[in-house]
Amino acid sequence: MTIEHADLAARRLDLAGARGFDAPGAGPTRRDAMGSLTRTWLGQVWEAALDGRSSEGLALAAVGSLARGDAGPLSDVDLVLLHYGRSVGGEDLRELADRIWYPVWDAGVRLDHSVRTVSQCRTVAAGDLTAAVGLLDLDRVAGDAEVVAAARSTVAHDWRANARKRLPQLVDGLRARHARHGDLAQSIEPDLKEAHGGLRDMTVLNALVAAWLTDRPHGEVDEAHRILLDVRDAVHVVTGKGRDRLTREDHDGVAALLGHDDADELLIDVSNAARTIAYAIDGTVRRAGQSQRARTLRVGPRRPQLNPLGFGMYEHDGEVVLGPRNALATDPLLPLRAAVVAARNNLPIAPTTLANLAAQAPQLTSPWPVIARDLFADLLATGPGLVGVWEGLDQAGVIDRWFPEWAAVRSRPQRNAVHRHTVDRHLIETVVLAGGLVRGVHRADLLLLGALLHDIGKVRDAHDHSAAGAPVAAAMATRLGYPEQDVATIELLVREHLTLIDLATRRDHQDPGTVTAARAAAGGSREVFDLLLALTEADASAAGPQAWTDWRATLLGQLAEATRRGWEEGTVAPPSEAATVSEADLESVASGEPRVVVRPQGGSYRIDVFDRDRLGLFADTAGLLAAYGMVVRTAILRTLDGVAANEWHVETPSGEPPDEQRIVRGLERLAQGDRAPLGLLERRRQFAGQPSARASSGSPGQARALVVPRASEEATVIEVRAQDRPGLLHELGLAFAKAGLSVRSAHIATYAGQTLDTFYVTEFGGRLLSPAKVAQTVSVVIDTCDGNPPG
């Protein structure tokens, strides 16, 4: 018999692409067709390999996705050549295997293969947990069905018999895999297979069921599985590769193939599906453990052990359940009480209890009664236990009953590089972190509610989520029953939740305009300022380590100190200690030698530089620090009695403190016109490579420079946004110097390779810039950022 040695991989890909991905039911139909094609082709390979000989005691079986019927267009094929060990000699068996494996390889399909007896399958499954789970799906492709049935039944029997011993191993492996690959629902580039909530977890769910320890959820879980399989199939078609990761560059193509309006809608679907599977695997593992413990402890009739938690709630085997005499059908507060009790004890609510609470508890009136509002505040104050309990409430539909607005932010991705969570999860994480700051504010409940709602405006097509979210938050606070003044505070917190961190990182803290802006953001209220300050810290901490660094914390603390100082008298804070120059500093500078003082400061370093004031001093210092490998975070520049007293905050990648004398020597040489100390900077530029002069497709676009109106009465404030590169700050300083401008202070920030720098500049001598000079300066700054510095 002859077979067509066609490119099976290409045929599967063509078959997948020929079927509409976004048509109802297309996914299962497509996978059935691809599975049928593969099995038929393998059957032909089998017949050709046998070459007319009997297949008694021999079979070709599949494991993995082909056996389960969910293989993608370019998925691997996992095959096992099964035999009893007596039908074929060793040499004949190897020849038969080669006649099967080589045509598969020739057909362009990735192949995992093995040759085993039934007994060997049993031995391998006993020693390798992953292999055991895979062999549970063993399915005949061709040959003797009896040998396949014998192997499968033997492995399944051993799996059930050894469930007590193997369950802890399975759970440990599950947790280790989740730790390695992360949470699929919270990833912008998710691993659709290995991450928590991915396709591999569905295989484990079925393995738990096969152990006869528990059943698993169906319905929504099966639909979530289908969604992830469809996305995986689309990744194969779009990329032409059999991979399982949905990367950023594939978002648009996969979204279009699946009929989504945009990539964000695709990621929302993926996140929701992953959350459903993750919740199912976590609950099913608990069910299996409970069943295992019940088998172990049962000696005769045994009643459930219920430990009272209060409010008619009980702990049973690690979960919160309703007691036998509850007022479920008449008490609208019961879901809130159950949530508070569960979160305080860091326990999940049992799925059956959640389903009953969602379906049977009466709806709360609007506005909520005071006791309901207070219970909700208690729930937000429960700390880390809130995360899992809120997820359970959300999965059951309780959150939608309380807040229909939540649906707009559920699973919504955040493409900002500093964020590590979807919008809804970020909000909950912010609440948890705000709980550690409540003792510094006068109203803990308003801080926690502001944390829950601060990004509620991050919905589709929202250009300013703070402005969009403020009225939504006000409406939700009103529904919760808060009085008008408290609602106004919540609205302000949401509207202004980014203001303080912007002022802290991009403005001069000692400028009266900055202090005035910070107080205005809080409506002139010291108590509201404290709330806004705590919300700012919680929000940044919850976003991730890039959003809440030591230097950002330091800057926010400095802004808070400057804003609070003299609040009662209505005065503006006096200059900081950095603006004073000691006699020793003056003597050192008068003798012609700069003075440098380095101080550690919360993971970074503060460098005070005292030198004769001159045009280009800012550029020289910035270039020197960059040449020595330091990352400038902020700079505050002052001139007193002809002496520049400049404060720089830097990070050193090596962690070593800056060398004071090396900086002094470098500044002396630069002041004398010797540019050699900047040679290291040029080498760093060449190593890093220079950006193109103009925007290319997919880039953020041309650099931007804009004047911030009314930011200061003492200087012109220019904000610069551009692609970061080594020495950019030095180049900007040179541009300012060539334009005859003094940089009074600079506030430097970099996010995902993009700078967000703010400069306070004056004419040399302190005069404000004329409108013509402003326009000229903005043009020069843009050219410098785009790689075309002035000659």
Side-chain angles (χ1 to χ4, degrees), residues 375-394:
L375 279 170
F376 187 70
D378 290 344
L379 174 61
L380 297 184
T382 51
L386 174 66
V387 177
V389 170
W390 189 276
E391 178 67 13
L393 295 169
D394 202 16

Side-chain angles (χ1 to χ4, degrees), residues 146-226:
E146 183 181 304
V147 69
V148 178
R152 179 165 180 159
S153 62
T154 300
V155 170
H157 175 272
D158 289 350
W159 180 252
R160 292 190 297 270
N162 295 305
R164 181 173 64 85
K165 181 179 68 175
R166 308 207 77 170
L167 181 61
Q169 300 172 7
L170 185 68
V171 173
D172 288 345
L174 193 69
R175 290 172 177 165
R177 173 165 56 81
H178 292 165
R180 284 195 306 273
H181 297 282
D183 193 343
L184 196 159
Q186 302 301 318
S187 176
I188 288 289
E189 294 188 307
D191 186 321
L192 300 169
K193 185 175 183 179
E194 303 292 351
H196 187 202
L199 297 172
R200 182 79 73 188
D201 283 349
M202 288 299 301
T203 303
V204 176
L205 274 177
N206 293 327
L208 290 170
V209 174
W212 292 1
L213 289 173
T214 182
D215 196 3
R216 71 165 180 84
H218 293 275
E220 291 183 354
V221 176
D222 292 332
E223 175 62 14
H225 186 211
R226 180 198 64 77

Side-chain angles (χ1 to χ4, degrees), residues 116 323 367 379 659 712 726 767:
R116 289 174 182 156
L379 174 61
D659 185 330
S712 173
R767 298 190 310 276

